[in-house]
Amino acid sequence: MTHEAQTVLPRRILLGVTGGIAAYKAADLVRRLREGGAEVQVILTEGAARFVTPMTFQALSGRPVRVGLWDEAAEAAMGHIELARWAELVLVAPASADFLARLAAGMANDLLTTTCLATTAPIAVAPAMNQQMWSAAATQANITTLRQRSVRVLGPGVGSQACGEQGAGRLLEPADIAAQVLSSSADGGLLSGRHIVITAGPTREPIDPVRFLSNRSSGKMGFAVAQAAREAGARVTLISGPVHLPTPLGVERINVETAAQMYAAVHAVMDDCDVYIGAAAVADYTPHCCAENKIKKTSDTLDLHLEKSPDILASVAALSKRPYVVGFAAETTNVEAHALAKLERKKLDLIAANEVGAERAFDRDDNALLLLWSGGRQALGLQSKADLAREFITFIAHRVSARSDGE
Ligand code: CTP
């Protein structure tokens, strides 16, 4: 079992990159922000474009990069006022001494400063410069002015600098910047103060040292739900079978392989769990015992003796101090009837049913769900798994708070 923890952010981030040797680190920042679920639009200042190319940022952000204020074609697509309105956060990293001075003075002499003046979104800056430039009275006065205007100042870090000096002025690590920007956005969300445990992906049941039984689950839905829960302010523990997906920012991830390991990992974190969401495709059966050595093909047929694996979802629902329990039902036929039977049999609070099979393949980026509970149903239409997960989490948050209010 392995543990990983990473961190998150807001939905639409306008990332300004200014001129300085640390500009290359902004490339990694774009990647981390996107992994955290944000859309990122990059503006490079002309100085930044001497250190890094717009092409790099275009590839990483998946959007055309803006450089100049006077680019007619770009202004016709998404003008600077639209950019300013689009942003939920303007993040400038690295922020040079020159940029901080211009921002403090309220100048609008390039696209980035103009956009900062035109936006109502919060602004955060991550300064990066030589330590003497950082401690200079002019820079410190600019920082004081910006703080007074509620600009958030992230860092700078202390340490060795590209110029060979030691001191304050290093750009914070991209992971730290993403973490700080993201976690604050989740405070006060619908699920803040709640601990949500989510399982995702397939399990692998070993047959011998080189073979296993598994299934087609990609883990995408469970990971999207974990990210949506984190965005809604929850503390999220994601217990995942083997998948090729990055950990959503701010989510604690526990990697497991078998159903038995998943069972143990889940029960180890049940103490303060408020909501349990079983999105994993847990193997229903596991080989009776794993052969010690590789099985040789010495006979024409091979019998595998399988045993039922523990039902994790039902075991959580049977706890005396139980969380709000949500199951998934992936069905090929009679979706609603099978899902309702599962809801009752496993004593769940809610079940999310979906159709799987040839047409509704597992490894897709979109999905639809039918939510069923005792006395109600609600369909969530076909959409990207990220959007669907947000709707799903919002629904769960309302049910959970209605239940707490009724207690
Ligand atoms: N599940 C679980 N532990 C298992 C098997 C399933 O926690 N050993 C959970 C899944 O995470 C999912 C739900 O149970 O939330 C439904 O899984 P499914 O395998 O379809 O349920 P079964 O009760 O096995 O139903 P079926 O008769 O379709 O096999």
Side-chain angles (χ1 to χ4, degrees):
M1 222 182 278
T2 57
H3 286 65
E4 299 168 23
Q6 289 189 350
T7 316
V8 192
L9 78 51
R11 215 64 65 71
R12 294 198 303 268
I13 295 186
L14 188 65
L15 176 65
V17 181
T18 72
I21 187 63
Y24 78 93
K25 289 192 179 177
D28 188 26
L29 180 56
V30 174
R31 195 175 60 83
R32 286 175 188 275
L33 296 176
R34 290 198 72 194
E35 280 174 7
E39 290 176 59
V40 181
Q41 167 69 54
V42 177
I43 294 180
L44 297 184
T45 62
E46 308 231 337
R50 290 174 177 261
F51 288 90
V52 287
T53 70
M55 191 57 80
T56 307
F57 287 88
Q58 180 169 319
L60 289 168
S61 68
R63 290 168 166 271
V65 169
R66 296 289 310 267
V67 180
L69 189 51
W70 308 111
D71 179 339
E72 283 170 29
E75 276 293 306
M78 194 176 195
H80 62 279
I81 298 294
E82 264 170 285
L83 279 178
R85 287 197 193 123
W86 173 87
E88 289 177 350
L89 171 77
V90 177
L91 170 63
V92 182
S96 65
D98 173 67
F99 170 77
L100 294 172
R102 289 186 292 119
L103 185 64
M107 293 180 74
N109 59 344
D110 66 4
L111 180 60
L112 185 56
T113 46
T114 305
T115 310
C116 286
L117 268 190
T119 193
T120 54
I123 299 176
V125 295
M129 65 198 73
N130 161 275
Q131 51 95 18
Q132 199 55 56
M133 290 171 78
W134 170 250
S135 55
T139 304
Q140 288 305 308
N142 290 333
I143 286 290
T144 303
T145 304
L146 292 173
R147 282 204 170 106
Q148 283 165 352
R149 290 191 201 137
S150 302
V151 171
R152 206 168 151 207
V153 182
L154 308 171
V158 180
S160 61
Q161 300 200 300
C163 53
E165 293 179 19
Q166 291 279 332
R170 273 171 66 97
L171 183 70
L172 288 186
E173 289 307 316
D176 291 340
I177 297 173
Q180 290 197 41
V181 165
L182 300 185
S183 49
S184 67
S185 73
D187 290 344
L190 277 176
L191 286 175
S192 96
R194 308 267 190 198
H195 180 205
I196 314 290
V197 176
I198 299 163
T199 62
T203 62
R204 274 183 190 173
E205 309 303 316
I207 297 171
D208 69 15
V210 294
R211 304 179 178 98
F212 54 80
L213 293 176
S214 193
N215 59 64
R216 293 180 188 276
S217 168
S218 66
K220 284 181 183 170
M221 193 63 216
F223 274 59
V225 171
Q227 183 166 316
R230 178 65 197 122
E231 284 173 10
R235 176 160 77 84
V236 181
T237 305
L238 175 63
I239 300 173
S240 176
V243 295
H244 299 284
L245 294 172
T247 309
L249 287 170
V251 165
E252 187 196 5
R253 172 168 169 183
I254 301 172
N255 290 324
V256 296
E257 292 227 339
T258 65
Q261 287 172 356
M262 189 172 274
Y263 180 95
V266 165
H267 283 279
V269 294
M270 275 304 105
D271 248 10
D272 64 348
C273 173
D274 298 295
V275 179
Y276 175 81
I277 304 175
V282 187
D284 286 326
Y285 292 92
T286 185
H288 174 59
C289 56
C290 172
E292 206 176 310
N293 296 309
K294 189 177 167 206
I295 300 171
K296 292 296 197 186
K297 50 177 179 306
T298 45
S299 60
D300 285 345
T301 58
L302 174 71
D303 289 330
L304 280 180
H305 182 66
L306 303 179
E307 287 180 339
K308 239 188 185 161
S309 44
D311 192 314
I312 306 169
L313 186 61
S315 71
V316 169
L319 291 171
S320 54
K321 187 178 153 276
R322 62 177 260 166
Y324 183 84
V325 184
V326 184
F328 270 78
E331 308 288 350
T332 50
T333 54
N334 293 336
V335 178
E336 186 158 352
H338 285 311
L340 274 175
K342 233 166 256 186
L343 177 81
E344 277 181 31
R345 191 171 71 247
K346 300 197 188 195
K347 301 194 169 26
L348 310 178
D349 294 296
L350 180 73
I351 194 151
N354 66 327
E355 196 172 338
V356 290
E359 293 204 351
R360 307 271 336 127
F362 265 105
D363 195 15
R364 290 182 62 133
D365 290 319
D366 57 8
N367 199 4
L369 290 174
L370 175 63
L371 306 184
L372 299 163
W373 62 98
S374 149
R377 74 199 292 283
Q378 183 165 328
L380 306 182
L382 184 66
Q383 54 195 309
S384 73
K385 285 185 175 171
D387 288 340
L388 182 65
R390 287 183 191 120
E391 256 196 70
F392 182 44
I393 280 294
T394 303
F395 180 89
I396 290 172
H398 288 306
R399 302 278 307 169
V400 170
S401 65
R403 195 173 73 153
S404 312
D405 292 348
E407 273 168 6

